[in-house]
Amino acid sequence: MDNILLNVSAVVVALVVSYFVFWYRNHKNEIDSKRAKGDALAFVVDTLGQVATNIVYDLKDSSEKGAEKKKQAKIKIKNFYADANLPVPSDAQLSGAIENAVTLMKLSEGEKHE
């Protein structure tokens, strides 16, 4: 039973990551054209994944657990965009970017241990 749950959860995670990549590729031209026109919000959406990944790796070894780390990551991302005088993404966008960054970090750590 545990193997089935593990396999199903691995498939679900792979589908979520695949959908994110699919969505990003389909919207990359649109994002790039908006950025070229000076649209700061498009730039924020484009860089959100990179910023979230950096912050997730920074918080990886902190003593906090799960929800507290996510809360700290949101605060750090909001501070980053506020310091850069850029629009701050919505909480839903922040949550999605943080969850994707954590998933990618865990997947990359799994590959290193094998």
Side-chain angles (χ1 to χ4, degrees):
M1 183 69 179
D2 288 338
N3 285 338
I4 292 172
L5 292 176
L6 183 63
N7 290 339
V8 169
S9 62
V11 168
V12 169
V13 167
L15 287 173
V16 168
V17 170
S18 297
Y19 177 77
F20 177 75
V21 170
F22 172 77
W23 179 89
Y24 181 77
R25 283 185 171 213
N26 283 343
H27 291 87
K28 184 158 178 42
N29 290 338
E30 184 180 321
I31 291 169
D32 288 344
S33 67
K34 285 184 180 181
R35 186 184 334 164
K37 293 178 185 176
D39 186 0
L41 185 58
F43 177 73
V44 167
V45 171
D46 193 31
T47 60
L48 180 57
Q50 296 166 354
V51 172
T53 299
N54 290 338
I55 290 176
V56 164
Y57 274 98
D58 286 345
L59 292 175
K60 178 179 144 184
D61 296 326
S62 72
S63 61
E64 288 86 15
K65 300 291 179 200
E68 185 61 32
K69 277 187 185 179
K70 188 173 184 178
K71 184 178 175 183
Q72 279 200 332
K74 281 184 180 181
I75 291 170
K76 287 184 177 222
I77 293 170
K78 286 180 180 181
N79 288 342
F80 172 82
Y81 284 113
D83 290 346
N85 293 322
L86 292 169
V88 177
S90 69
D91 282 342
Q93 289 172 321
L94 291 174
S95 291
I98 292 167
E99 289 172 14
N100 283 332
V102 168
T103 301
L104 292 174
M105 179 181 68
K106 288 181 179 179
L107 286 174
S108 71
E109 285 178 351
E111 290 174 5
K112 289 179 185 175
H113 292 291
E114 291 179 358

